[in-house]
């Protein structure tokens, strides 16, 4: 197979001309990448990223995130499956003209300044040179643009990588761990930049293993584990409905009554005076009435939601048994 | 395409090693063609001393071209390796490819930019050689007769062509080895050991003759031989020594052109097929 004529066996997804809000910007079907007989980096991945959303691609190190991104960009060939990005085969100049990407560590010519590095890339991309000061300003690197890349700190290199991704003013931004090496202020600025980019009907695919980052930025999240997409949905979907914590007395009686109520799932005793009750949090007042009506003293009821981190750990520990979609 | 060529020219122009290699090659050409030779001529006697006539302006093209088939070639092989192999070490291929140019466009831009930069690897040593030969002629009170414009043009073209072939050899080694160190090592090893040793034995082992006739060294010296190459001098040219066999100029040009084409096609093939990690 040839990188310049890489055409998937089946055409899926919609063309770049489709501007509907649900238009699929990235669509993969059965995407698989094997290295030899034993190593399966990505397996049977069906990924759908819609126009205008910030999609979080969540996975532990080595889960297959970067391999997937490389396949989306045409840097490596899938072993099997199909890919369309912006309605084009991966790696096609027509598609890449509208994609900005930062994959893994930012890679630049060490002897060139940040400005000259972007100049080289702008020339290859056929982009106007007047985009260079704009993107340098966006990533707050204008002051050091004249310095050689080899003198940059890790955070500055990361900023230049994002600047390069923004150079074409792309429709789709693919970022692989963009906050690596940034200090807390830089991380916050980067998140704002990504969130702002995600407005205006543009799309971001953000690969990360940082739960808080994904939770703050992303509209939808896909969780990849051992090369497989094991869950996909909004952050709220993934965290689930959650439940209620109830401080009640006497606890055993409260537990017995709650367990008999319709619409109540598992009831767990957490400590001497608290129950965890699996129930739609919207039914909190109804539950309160039922317990008080049964003579139980209820001193506190509050909503409990699993953290994305807890959900992620649960998902990856179970290998995807908790699929939410 | 023009934009990509500009990008590659910018990379080569701002890369310190380009200037280091140009300086090194110019220094070598000046020293071995003129400075060392003239000092030896002034101080010494014996077989190894180059005749004064070789250092005069009339022999400018022939004297300078002695170094191109091997010494100059090996130096620009390094430039070819660095131009392609550096991309692997820095991981910049993925950065360039994700900007959207076709891989064949990147290859063509790199080769064309190398070709443009290599003109300086011919012009600068020729200018320095001209100055030195002029100075020697003045000092020795010899006639200052320059070669004809046609001979100079053919000499420049032949030198440039040899450089381009060696640089393309470096390019293919770099993409095959995905880096610089091994490619430079293999290139120098091939030039010195394989071509050098086999060429040294060719007069004693006749079966080697057809093999050596296909060598870069053999065809390179054969290409410049019609321009007045001092073949006796080349016999004692150290690691670049060549005792023959010489082939016709046309054959040499055809073989070198075929090498260039093969190197470029193979480089392009590998670049297109290669996965970028």
């Amino acid at each position: 197979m040839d990188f310049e004529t890489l055409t998937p066996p089946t055409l899926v997804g919609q063309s770049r001309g489709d501007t509907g809000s649900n238009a699929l910007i990235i669509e993969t079907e059965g995407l698989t990448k094997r290295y030899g007989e034993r190593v399966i980096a990505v397996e049977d991945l069906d990924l759908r990223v819609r126009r205008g959303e910030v999609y979080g691609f969540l996975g532990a190190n080595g889960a297959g995130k970067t391999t997937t991104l490389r396949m989306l960009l045409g840097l490596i060939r899938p072993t099997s499956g199909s890919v369309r990005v912006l309605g084009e085969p991966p790696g096609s100049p027509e598609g890449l003209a509208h994609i900005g990407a930062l994959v893994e560590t930012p890679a630049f010519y060490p002897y060139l300044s940040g400005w000259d590095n972007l100049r080289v890339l702008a020339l290859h991309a056929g982009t106007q040179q007047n985009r260079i000061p704009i993107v340098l300003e966006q990533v707050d690197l204008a002051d050091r643009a004249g310095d050689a890349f080899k003198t940059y700190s890790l955070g500055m290199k990361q900023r230049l990588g994002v600047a390069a991704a923004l150079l074409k003013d792309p429709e789709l931004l693919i970022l692989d761990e963009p906050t690596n090496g940034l200090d807390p202020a830089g991380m916050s600025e980067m998140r704002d930049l990504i969130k702002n980019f995600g407005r205006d009907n543009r799309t971001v695919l953000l690969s990360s293993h940082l739960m808080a980052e994904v939770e703050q930025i992303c509209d939808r999240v896909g969780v990849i584990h051992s090369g497989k997409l094991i869950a996909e949905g909004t952050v709220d979907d993934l965290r689930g409905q959650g439940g209620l914590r109830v401080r009640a007395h006497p606890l055993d009686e409260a537990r017995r009554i709650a367990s008999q109520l319709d619409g109540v799932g598992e009831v767990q005793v957490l400590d001497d005076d608290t129950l965890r009750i699996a129930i739609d949090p919207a039914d909190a007042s109804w539950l309160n009435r039922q317990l008080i009506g049964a003579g139980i003293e209820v001193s506190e009821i509050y909503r409990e939601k699993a953290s994305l981190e807890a959900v992620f750990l649960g998902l990856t520990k179970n290998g995807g048994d908790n699929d939410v979609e | 395409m023009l934009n990509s060529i500009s990008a590659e020219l910018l990379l080569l122009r701002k890369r310190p090693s380009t200037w280091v290699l140009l300086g090194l090659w110019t220094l070598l050409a000046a020293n071995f063609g003129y400075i060392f030779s003239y000092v030896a001529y002034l101080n010494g006697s014996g077989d190894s001393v180059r005749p004064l006539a070789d250092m005069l302006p009339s022999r400018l093209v022939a004297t300078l071209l002695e170094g191109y088939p091997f010494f100059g070639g090996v130096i620009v092989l390094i430039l070819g390796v660095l131009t392609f192999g550096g991309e692997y070490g820095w991981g910049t291929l993925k950065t360039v490819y994700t900007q959207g140019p076709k891989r064949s466009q990147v290859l063509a831009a790199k080769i064309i930019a190398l070709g443009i930069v290599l003109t300086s690897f011919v012009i600068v040593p020729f200018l320095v050689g001209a100055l030195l030969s002029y100075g020697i002629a003045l000092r020795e009170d010899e006639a200052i007769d320059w070669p004809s414009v046609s001979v100079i043009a053919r000499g420049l073209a032949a030198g440039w062509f040899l450089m381009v072939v060696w640089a393309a050899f470096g390019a293919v080694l770099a993409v095959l080895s995905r880096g610089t160190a091994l490619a430079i090592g293999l290139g120098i090893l091939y030039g010195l050991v394989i071509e050098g040793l086999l060429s040294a034995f060719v007069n004693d082992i006749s079966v080697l003759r057809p093999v050596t006739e296909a060598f870069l060294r053999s065809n390179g010296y054969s290409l410049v031989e019609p321009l007045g190459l001092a073949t006796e001098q080349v016999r004692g040219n150290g690691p670049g020594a060549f005792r023959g066999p010489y082939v016709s100029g046309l054959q040499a040009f055809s073989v070198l052109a075929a090498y260039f084409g093969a190197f470029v096609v193979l480089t392009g093939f590998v670049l297109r097929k290669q996965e970028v990690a």
Side-chain angles (χ1 to χ4, degrees):
Chain A
M1 201 187 291
D2 189 301
F3 276 104
E4 290 187 2
T5 56
L6 186 67
T7 308
T10 52
L11 189 142
V12 292
Q14 293 158 286
S15 72
R16 205 167 55 244
D18 185 349
T19 55
S21 59
N22 283 324
L24 291 175
I25 292 297
I26 297 173
E27 185 168 19
T28 74
E29 269 190 10
L31 189 65
T32 300
K33 180 65 182 177
R34 290 171 184 270
Y35 292 101
E37 289 297 309
R38 297 179 62 185
V39 180
I40 306 174
V42 174
E43 187 176 8
D44 205 19
L45 185 74
D46 295 339
L47 188 68
R48 286 171 184 81
V49 179
R50 299 173 194 138
R51 179 178 296 277
E53 72 179 356
V54 179
Y55 186 98
F57 198 36
L58 200 56
N61 293 333
K65 302 189 298 291
T66 302
T67 303
T68 303
L69 300 190
R70 287 194 183 118
M71 285 191 280
L72 296 179
L73 292 164
L75 295 172
I76 60 175
R77 287 182 300 271
T79 307
S80 61
S82 66
V83 187
R84 301 297 281 191
V85 184
L86 289 163
E88 303 285 347
S92 75
E94 293 76 18
L96 287 172
H98 304 275
I99 301 171
L102 168 62
V103 181
E104 227 172 14
T105 50
F108 292 96
Y109 301 97
Y111 57 91
L112 289 186
S113 66
W115 182 286
D116 278 340
N117 266 295
L118 293 182
R119 210 171 131 205
V120 167
L121 298 180
L123 284 166
H124 274 304
T127 305
Q128 294 294 318
Q129 305 272 319
N130 60 13
R131 284 283 302 160
I132 296 172
I134 296 169
V135 296
L136 283 169
E137 204 63 54
Q138 276 181 292
V139 299
D140 198 20
L141 200 60
D143 290 347
R144 293 289 305 274
D147 296 339
F149 176 73
K150 64 186 171 194
T151 66
Y152 284 7
S153 68
L154 183 59
M156 290 164 69
K157 288 176 179 174
Q158 201 71 17
R159 287 170 192 272
L160 188 64
V162 175
L166 295 170
L167 204 52
K168 288 176 279 186
D169 198 14
E171 284 179 46
L172 168 65
L173 196 55
I174 296 178
L175 297 175
D176 192 6
E177 314 278 3
T179 53
N180 263 359
L182 297 181
D183 56 28
M187 289 171 93
S188 173
E189 286 168 21
M190 190 62 73
R191 285 176 191 143
D192 287 344
L193 192 146
I194 295 167
K195 271 195 273 192
N196 289 335
F197 184 89
R199 293 170 191 154
D200 198 23
N201 214 27
R202 292 195 281 189
T203 311
V204 182
L205 173 58
L206 171 71
S207 161
S208 180
H209 62 263
L210 301 176
M211 309 296 154
E213 185 170 283
V214 169
E215 212 162 355
Q216 286 172 42
I217 300 176
C218 298
D219 302 314
R220 284 200 311 137
V221 177
V223 179
I224 187 170
H225 177 63
S226 298
K228 295 178 183 172
L229 192 69
I230 57 171
E232 191 180 47
T234 64
V235 172
D236 280 342
D237 283 341
L238 286 176
R239 288 161 72 184
Q241 279 191 335
L244 294 172
R245 286 199 183 197
V246 179
R247 291 181 70 181
H249 180 77
L251 197 68
D252 285 344
E253 183 64 6
R255 179 172 178 270
R256 189 185 64 76
I257 291 168
S259 302
Q260 292 170 354
L261 293 172
D262 288 341
V264 170
E266 190 182 5
V267 180
Q268 289 177 275
V269 177
L270 292 182
D271 53 38
D272 288 348
D273 61 355
T274 308
L275 296 175
R276 176 191 285 150
I277 300 177
I279 186 173
D280 185 347
D283 292 334
S285 57
W286 173 81
L287 175 68
N288 189 30
R289 280 199 306 275
Q290 301 304 313
L291 291 173
I292 290 172
I296 305 294
E297 292 174 22
V298 178
S299 55
E300 190 177 12
I301 294 185
Y302 59 95
R303 183 177 181 154
E304 180 194 65
K305 270 218 158 187
S307 70
L308 189 57
E309 184 170 326
V311 172
F312 176 79
L313 290 173
L315 284 168
T316 53
K317 192 175 172 185
N318 298 331
D321 292 344
N322 303 350
D323 206 342
V324 295
E325 265 198 3
Chain B
M1 183 63 193
L2 284 177
N3 282 341
S4 285
I5 295 170
S6 299
E8 294 300 326
L9 279 174
L10 176 67
L11 287 175
L12 280 169
R13 186 163 53 83
K14 295 232 170 182
R15 189 173 188 151
S17 55
T18 303
W19 302 106
V20 170
L21 289 170
L22 175 60
L24 185 65
W25 167 231
T26 304
L27 201 66
L28 276 176
N31 275 322
F32 289 110
Y34 296 96
I35 298 171
F36 288 168
S37 301
Y38 188 57
V39 171
Y41 167 78
L42 291 177
N43 296 334
S45 60
D47 296 342
S48 63
V49 176
R50 181 188 279 274
L52 178 65
D54 281 357
M55 292 171 255
L56 297 178
S58 60
R59 299 268 307 151
L60 173 73
V61 172
T63 298
L64 281 173
L65 281 179
E66 265 178 31
Y68 280 78
F70 178 73
F71 294 109
V74 169
I75 284 172
V76 297
L77 173 137
I78 296 171
L79 186 66
V81 167
L82 294 177
T83 302
F84 283 81
E87 304 277 357
Y88 294 93
W90 298 319
T92 38
L93 273 182
K94 73 175 178 192
T95 312
V96 170
Y97 287 164
T98 51
Q99 291 301 324
K102 284 185 174 180
R103 295 186 180 199
S104 54
Q105 183 180 322
V106 175
L107 165 75
K110 280 186 179 296
I111 293 286
I112 292 169
L114 258 177
I116 293 169
V117 167
L118 286 176
T119 56
S120 62
F121 280 67
V122 186
I123 292 170
V124 173
F126 265 70
L127 287 175
V128 172
L131 273 175
L132 290 169
S133 67
Y134 181 74
I136 290 169
L138 280 182
R139 193 170 191 278
E140 296 293 329
D141 209 15
E142 293 283 343
I144 298 171
D145 296 326
W146 295 104
S148 67
V149 173
S150 143
V151 169
I152 292 175
R154 282 164 59 203
L156 289 170
W160 178 81
F161 183 55
L162 290 171
M163 292 294 200
V164 167
V165 175
W166 276 95
F169 183 35
V172 77
L173 289 175
V175 298
L176 284 172
S177 66
R178 287 173 165 259
T180 54
L182 180 62
I184 290 172
L186 285 175
I188 293 175
L189 190 74
Y190 171 79
L192 271 175
V193 179
I194 298 178
E195 287 209 353
L197 281 181
L198 292 186
S199 296
F201 287 112
V202 71
N203 288 332
D204 303 319
I205 307 171
S206 59
V207 72
L208 291 177
R209 188 181 175 91
V211 178
T212 55
E213 280 182 0
F215 281 168
L216 286 174
R217 180 184 303 229
S218 176
N219 289 283
Y221 282 119
S222 299
L223 184 75
V224 297
E225 194 250 345
L227 292 165
L229 187 76
T231 54
E232 290 305 312
Q233 185 66 32
V234 172
R235 279 172 177 272
N237 232 0
F242 183 68
R243 295 176 177 82
Y246 287 90
V247 298
S248 73
L250 181 63
Q251 183 179 335
F253 177 78
S254 305
V255 171
L256 290 169
Y259 270 125
F260 175 72
F263 292 152
V264 171
V265 167
L266 185 56
T267 304
F269 178 79
V270 175
L271 277 178
R272 286 169 71 118
K273 294 287 177 188
Q274 233 167 23
E275 298 203 326
V276 180

